[in-house]
Amino acid sequence: MRKPLVAGNWKMNKTIAETRDLVFTMSMKLRKIEGVEKVICPPFMSLMAASALLEGSGIGLGAQNMHWEEKGAFTGEVSPAMVKELCGYVILGHSERRSYFGETDQTVNRKLLAAQAMDLVPIVCVGETLEQYESKLTREIVSAQTSQSLRDVAPAYAPRMIVAYEPVWAIGTGKASNGPEANDVVKDVIRPALAELFGNETAQAIRVLYGGSVTSANADEFFSQPDIDGALVGGASLKIDEFVAITKAAASTEA
Ligand code: PEP
């Protein structure tokens, strides 16, 4: 049985003071929802404030990125050990990192292996661009991203990883994919690629989220799909009622 998970990616939003307000109110509501793993991922600057407020809440904290090196002359970067001091999770290879900051499957894989060494739970993002989608390259692209980004992981760590299928054309656009189409990509492309890497049993144990314009209005459509185990939520994770409603929708899918 795969426990549903909902993670909120705040991206570059909210100052420390704003984070305190949002986490304080949101966590009061989220902590009452059972049967779903809940994670919020504020910007680095706000992690310390969020961590203090989330203590004992059962709500996980994640970073949105990290470097793979342990330490050294990497100005502006944050190391895995620094993330581990405050977080249990880390988002890796988000499409905004891939498109604006030159991340590749190879650098995502280095980060994933660093997350493994630090025993962080990674949320590894894969997904095709609009151009690739329109050229009917989704399967090829997502399969290659999954195989390359998740390679060389130890069998014992693999079931702890989380994959997020996020079609780039659906992120922040208000144009979500639809449940059956997203489920097909997870079932026919991502899980077979995971099975190739780790065997079928582990592939069935790894949680795969959908991400891309998830709202309270369409959450059920995704969560009712057999191969979709929750959501990585961007814009709607900054709105208390929306994120709480999405989390409740995921909780109600636990068998
Ligand atoms: C995301 O940032 O991962 C995301 C899915 O964003 P949005 O929900 O705003 O599309």
Side-chain angles (χ1 to χ4, degrees):
M1 214 31 244
R2 300 184 298 261
K3 184 173 188 177
L5 185 148
V6 173
N9 173 18
W10 290 16
K11 314 194 189 206
M12 196 174 72
N13 292 295
K14 304 297 172 191
T15 62
I16 296 172
E18 290 166 344
T19 296
R20 284 204 183 98
D21 285 348
L22 186 53
V23 172
F24 181 79
T25 314
M26 199 181 261
S27 64
M28 295 287 187
K29 300 187 179 198
L30 285 180
R31 65 200 305 163
K32 296 185 195 138
I33 310 171
E34 288 175 4
V36 55
E37 205 167 310
K38 301 152 277 191
V39 183
I40 60 167
C41 305
F44 285 129
M45 293 296 289
S46 293
L47 287 173
M48 185 97 140
S51 157
L53 285 166
L54 290 178
E55 211 175 315
S57 68
I59 302 164
L61 188 62
Q64 298 172 15
N65 176 38
M66 67 179 193
H67 202 285
W68 60 81
E69 290 288 351
E70 279 177 32
K71 59 168 91 167
F74 301 101
T75 302
E77 291 290 336
V78 170
S79 78
M82 292 169 191
V83 169
K84 180 72 180 181
E85 276 187 309
L86 294 171
C87 300
Y89 302 78
V90 61
I91 299 173
L92 298 176
H94 190 280
S95 66
E96 287 150 18
R97 301 285 326 162
R98 291 176 186 259
S99 63
Y100 303 140
F101 302 101
E103 294 202 12
T104 62
D105 293 334
Q106 287 64 42
T107 57
V108 174
N109 183 249
R110 292 183 81 170
K111 292 177 183 210
L112 175 60
L113 298 178
Q116 171 180 262
M118 234 351 110
D119 202 26
L120 284 159
V121 176
I123 302 175
V124 183
C125 303
V126 296
E128 79 284 5
T129 62
L130 180 61
E131 201 184 350
Q132 291 161 342
Y133 177 71
E134 287 175 345
S135 308
K136 306 214 177 316
L137 291 171
T138 299
R139 288 171 180 244
E140 202 176 318
I141 295 294
V142 173
S143 178
Q145 284 181 342
T146 308
S147 313
Q148 297 300 315
S149 301
L150 280 76
R151 61 190 298 175
D152 299 330
V153 163
Y157 178 72
R160 302 192 56 213
M161 298 188 301
I162 294 156
V163 178
Y165 169 51
E166 299 208 306
V168 181
W169 47 270
I171 297 179
T173 59
K175 287 188 203 146
S177 178
N178 64 72
E181 192 173 342
N183 192 75
D184 280 353
V185 175
V186 178
K187 174 170 64 73
D188 300 338
V189 181
I190 296 179
R191 284 203 203 282
L194 294 173
E196 184 95 355
L197 289 168
F198 309 113
N200 195 42
E201 200 178 319
T202 300
Q204 292 304 324
I206 295 174
R207 287 175 290 179
V208 184
L209 314 179
Y210 167 78
S213 296
V214 173
T215 63
S216 60
N218 63 19
D220 275 334
E221 179 185 339
F222 293 103
F223 299 158
S224 60
Q225 301 297 323
D227 277 276
I228 295 177
D229 306 312
L232 180 55
V233 185
S237 72
L238 295 163
K239 299 177 191 153
I240 295 174
D241 290 345
E242 273 293 290
F243 195 59
V244 167
I246 293 166
T247 307
K248 280 186 180 156
S252 66
T253 61
E254 197 191 37

